[in-house]
């Protein structure tokens, strides 16, 4: 098992997140990309070189990129121009992820419009991911669809519908067991249902400030992950608190003791 940290759990510029992740002892870092992606370091040649240098210096990998950008520009948006823009930054992210040695891009299944039809929205996601998948296959990068609080991919069943609909080895699942519980699901059952389709896992503990203080049955989740032989990254997406570095260290210690 490897342990990673999502950059939003340690707010600040990427260089600070990377340095502090290395100091705390993480194996990798997940860099979250927002709506202003064109101003992101990754979209600048010098910035990418700096990230590559910092990762090597800190002794951490690029565990993944998170395209939080989809919360603004969704593949389910009825506006074709928005979907085209999303294809553009997805293609860029695939290129940057591969160049930095990453293998996974988190793709949150975000809503495209208020009150959208869930079946129609999933069909749009399938159609757009089919367009993006060939570049990901060629680059050796996985587009991993995640269960999030809004949108049409909130359950394991919905995520499998999307992944199976695309039918590409480059489109798998990014499962968040904390989100699964918060959305009314059974994380253990969902992990078993998703099985080998899980490319990466987000770790959080709803209603707890730190891992182990919330509602997730960690022992049961650990057993379910063992049953499907999951042995990739557990990436913390936990509250930053008023001392993000100390919180990250405490949560990493919990993961290493329990997973």
């Amino acid at each position: 098992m490897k342990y990673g940290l999502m950059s939003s759990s340690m707010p600040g510029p990427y260089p600070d997140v990377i340095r502090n992740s290395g100091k705390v002892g993480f194996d990798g870092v997940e860099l979250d990309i927002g709506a202003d992606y064109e101003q992101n370091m990754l979209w600048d040649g010098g910035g990418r070189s700096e990230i590559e240098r910092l990762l090597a210096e800190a002794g951490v990998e690029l565990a993944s990129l998170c395209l939080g950008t989809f919360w603004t520009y969704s593949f389910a948006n009825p506006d074709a121009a928005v979907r085209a823009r999303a294809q553009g930054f997805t293609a860029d992210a695939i290129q940057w992820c591969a160049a930095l040695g990453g293998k996974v891009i988190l793709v949150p299944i975000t809503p495209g419009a208020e009150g959208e039809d869930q079946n129609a929205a999933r069909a749009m996601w399938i159609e757009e991911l089919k367009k993006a998948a060939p570049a990901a296959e060629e680059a050796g990068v996985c587009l991993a669809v995640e269960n999030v609080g809004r949108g049409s991919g909130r359950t394991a069943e919905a995520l499998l519908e999307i992944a199976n609909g695309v039918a590409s080895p480059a489109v798998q699942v990014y499962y968040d067991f904390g989100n699964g519980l918060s959305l009314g699901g059974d994380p253990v059952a969902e992990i078993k249902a998703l099985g080998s389709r899980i490319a990466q896992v987000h770790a959080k503990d709803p209603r707890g400030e730190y891992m182990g203080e919330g509602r997730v049955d960690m022992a049961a989740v650990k057993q379910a992950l063992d049953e499907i032989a999951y042995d990739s990254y557990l990436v913390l997406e936990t509250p930053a608190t008023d001392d993000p570095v100390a919180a990250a260290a405490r949560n990493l210690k919990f993961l290493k003791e329990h997973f």
Side-chain angles (χ1 to χ4, degrees), residues 147-165:
N147 54 321
V148 291
R150 293 182 293 119
S152 57
R154 289 176 284 184
T155 65
E157 181 182 14
L159 295 177
L160 281 174
E161 179 184 336
I162 293 169
N164 290 337

Side-chain angles (χ1 to χ4, degrees), residues 22 87 127 199:
Q87 285 289 349
E127 179 182 355

Side-chain angles (χ1 to χ4, degrees), residues 60-231:
V60 297
E61 301 175 330
L62 178 67
S64 42
L65 296 180
C66 173
L67 278 177
T69 330
F70 278 117
W71 287 105
T72 304
Y73 309 104
S74 176
F75 272 161
N77 195 296
D79 186 338
V82 172
R83 298 197 304 276
R85 182 167 186 172
Q87 285 289 349
F89 66 66
T90 301
D92 289 343
I94 290 169
Q95 183 179 348
W96 313 151
C97 186
L100 291 169
K103 299 294 184 184
V104 175
I105 295 176
L106 187 162
V107 176
I109 301 300
T110 57
E114 187 175 350
E116 67 184 6
D117 176 88
Q118 300 291 288
N119 292 324
R122 282 193 294 275
M124 292 176 74
W125 271 99
I126 291 169
E127 179 182 355
E128 296 297 330
L129 284 168
K130 282 182 176 180
K131 298 175 187 176
E137 288 183 29
E138 184 176 354
V141 171
C142 174
L143 300 172
V145 296
E146 189 195 31
N147 54 321
V148 291
R150 293 182 293 119
S152 57
R154 289 176 284 184
T155 65
E157 181 182 14
L159 295 177
L160 281 174
E161 179 184 336
I162 293 169
N164 290 337
V166 180
S168 164
V171 176
Q172 301 296 335
V173 172
Y174 200 126
Y175 187 67
D176 186 316
F177 56 74
N179 285 356
L181 182 64
S182 294
L183 293 168
D186 177 351
V188 170
E190 292 200 314
I191 288 168
K192 292 179 181 180
L194 292 166
S196 62
R197 303 305 296 271
I198 298 178
Q200 203 149 287
V201 173
H202 257 171
K204 63 164 66 83
D205 200 356
R207 297 188 186 173
E209 186 171 25
Y210 301 101
M211 294 293 291
E213 293 185 349
R215 299 169 51 223
V216 174
D217 183 340
M218 296 294 173
V221 167
K222 196 266 186 187
Q223 183 177 347
L225 290 173
D226 286 346
E227 286 183 21
I228 66 167
Y230 181 79
D231 192 31

